[in-house]
Amino acid sequence: MAPAKPGDAAFANVDHVNAELFTLTYGAMVRQLLTDFEDVEEVNKQLDTMGYNIGIRLIDDFLSKANVTRCSEFRETADVIAKIGFKMFLGVTATVSNWNADFTECSLVLDDNPLVDFVELPETCQGLYYCNVLCGVIRGALEMVSMRTEVKWARDMLRGDDAYELRLKLIEHVAEEYPYKDDD
Amino acid sequence: MRCLYIFNRNGMCLHYHVWLRSLMTLSPQQDQKLMFGMLFSLNSFTAKIDPVSSGKENNPPCSFYSFRTNTYKLHFMETASGIKIILLTDPRIGDLREALMHIYSNIYVEYVVKNPLYSPGQPFRCELFNMALDHYVKTLQ
């Protein structure tokens, strides 16, 4: 028997929903956003914000189930996101690659992307980052563990590229500060 | 069990629950502020005084998980997301690290974080959380 991957245990720990239902619900939501905002750029922004709001809650769910310890460096963080985070919430894993010289920037290449089944971008939505919600989720979750990051799509198969690649950039570690002033 | 505090990373007291506390010398605000301040200082103290792993960035800072006086015992847990859970109990009670983890994973996350009406970072009052917490705490005694 092959040794269990770290993400598998976490995946087994969480409730599952039908993948098609999930994909179609997400699709319906993006569709509604396009109708409501009529502007592709604005929809990208909305998806990112929604993702952020998901991420700041998701982190606690993740920490409580994934059984991981504090990461000592950003490389480890990226690995945990790719192997455990993606597995736990999307059922897929990602590959970490393309590190820059000082290990603050990397790419997450998704091995599979369940959000885009049945999706084709029409002519009018070519600027849309359909899965932009994922960027927000990662950004929000990392912010809750003291890392300010920037997450962008680098390659998107819906836009004609050959893979789904997220570019993850660490801006800074936010140090924990004493939140009260002395005089209040 | 005496009382329970939950703080977020910004020192906001998300929840304060009392079972038994006959003496309260400070106002709730002062009490919570003092508690958070003590934890903050004690945490940085434990990390700075650590004779084994200090100075190396690769090691996560060490932390304490309880202390005891002659009248009570304080149990403490902090998650990577900065949620701090503090439980005051009778001094004779044993190690509650697993119990605090249970409160975090199975009660706080399930009933508060996943509650769509809850806005993150705000204090909460949640009936289901209180019931689950009461129920669980009874099993500990």
Side-chain angles (χ1 to χ4, degrees):
Chain A
M1 212 171 85
K5 292 195 212 91
D8 290 349
F11 185 62
N13 252 340
V14 290
D15 295 334
H16 298 160
V17 294
N18 180 289
E20 273 182 29
L21 174 70
F22 176 68
T23 308
L24 293 173
T25 311
Y26 184 73
M29 187 195 77
V30 177
R31 182 87 187 69
Q32 188 62 44
L33 284 176
L34 283 167
T35 317
D36 288 352
F37 290 97
E38 294 171 353
D39 174 44
V40 172
E41 273 312 305
E42 190 55 34
V43 173
N44 285 340
K45 231 180 277 168
Q46 286 296 326
L47 285 172
D48 185 75
T49 311
M50 285 169 108
Y52 175 82
N53 287 326
I54 296 173
I56 58 176
R57 289 174 187 244
L58 201 71
I59 184 68
D60 276 313
D61 195 24
F62 175 76
L63 290 171
S64 71
K65 303 225 170 66
N67 208 3
V68 290
T69 49
R70 210 178 275 255
C71 297
S72 53
E73 51 183 17
F74 193 56
R75 266 189 291 179
E76 201 183 332
T77 312
D79 252 358
V80 169
I81 296 172
K83 299 289 176 254
I84 307 181
F86 272 106
K87 180 75 189 170
M88 187 165 154
F89 294 110
L90 286 181
V92 298
T93 53
T95 312
V96 186
S97 57
N98 267 333
W99 283 98
N100 66 347
D102 44 2
F103 293 107
T104 54
E105 240 186 283
C106 69
S107 293
L108 298 175
V109 181
L110 268 66
D111 303 336
D112 182 23
N113 186 351
L115 286 176
V116 297
D117 291 342
F118 328 118
V119 177
E120 232 174 81
L121 288 189
E123 279 297 307
T124 50
C125 305
Q126 288 304 317
L128 179 70
Y129 286 106
Y130 183 79
C131 304
N132 219 22
V133 76
L134 296 181
C135 297
V137 171
I138 297 178
R139 185 168 59 89
L142 287 180
E143 190 173 303
M144 289 296 111
V145 287
S146 315
M147 279 174 254
R148 278 217 307 127
T149 51
E150 201 180 271
V151 189
K152 281 188 304 216
W153 282 101
R155 284 185 289 168
D156 185 340
M157 279 162 90
L158 290 179
R159 305 172 70 153
D161 301 322
D162 52 354
Y164 290 100
E165 175 182 335
L166 281 163
R167 195 75 190 148
L168 183 61
K169 180 178 173 191
L170 175 71
I171 302 171
E172 58 171 349
H173 276 283
V174 188
E176 204 174 349
E177 275 176 21
Y178 188 63
Y180 304 123
K181 300 211 172 53
D182 279 336
D183 50 6
D184 64 21
Chain B
M1 296 300 138
R2 301 296 159 81
C3 52
L4 172 112
Y5 298 77
I6 298 179
F7 289 96
N8 73 358
R9 59 192 305 109
N10 301 323
M12 165 85 75
C13 186
L14 303 179
H15 192 75
Y16 174 63
H17 193 95
V18 194
W19 289 280
L20 180 69
R21 185 171 187 171
S22 45
L23 187 65
M24 181 124 177
T25 49
L26 298 167
S27 73
Q29 287 80 11
Q30 285 175 315
D31 180 76
Q32 289 158 12
K33 195 179 150 188
L34 190 65
M35 174 63 84
F36 186 84
M38 185 279 293
L39 295 171
F40 193 90
S41 314
L42 195 50
N43 250 339
S44 75
F45 167 78
T46 52
K48 285 200 178 104
I49 216 76
D50 182 356
V52 186
S53 60
S54 64
K56 286 184 210 138
E57 264 186 35
N58 287 351
N59 286 315
C62 69
S63 177
F64 78 106
Y65 47 85
S66 73
F67 68 74
R68 181 155 52 174
T69 75
N70 55 345
T71 53
Y72 66 93
K73 183 171 177 185
L74 182 145
H75 307 261
F76 169 72
M77 180 189 92
E78 182 176 13
T79 69
S81 56
I83 300 290
K84 296 178 173 63
I85 302 184
I86 297 101
L87 192 60
L88 295 190
T89 65
D90 186 277
R92 283 161 302 184
I93 223 149
D95 188 4
L96 287 185
R97 273 179 289 176
E98 272 180 27
L100 290 182
M101 193 60 204
H102 180 95
I103 291 175
Y104 171 65
S105 328
N106 298 43
I107 306 181
Y108 172 71
V109 169
E110 291 301 317
Y111 295 116
V112 179
V113 177
K114 291 188 182 174
N115 183 342
L117 296 178
Y118 170 63
S119 32
Q122 294 302 310
F124 60 88
R125 260 191 221 154
C126 169
E127 205 49 46
L128 270 174
F129 172 86
N130 289 343
M131 274 162 53
L133 182 67
D134 266 336
H135 185 76
Y136 177 67
V137 159
K138 275 193 192 114
T139 66
L140 290 175
Q141 280 152 341

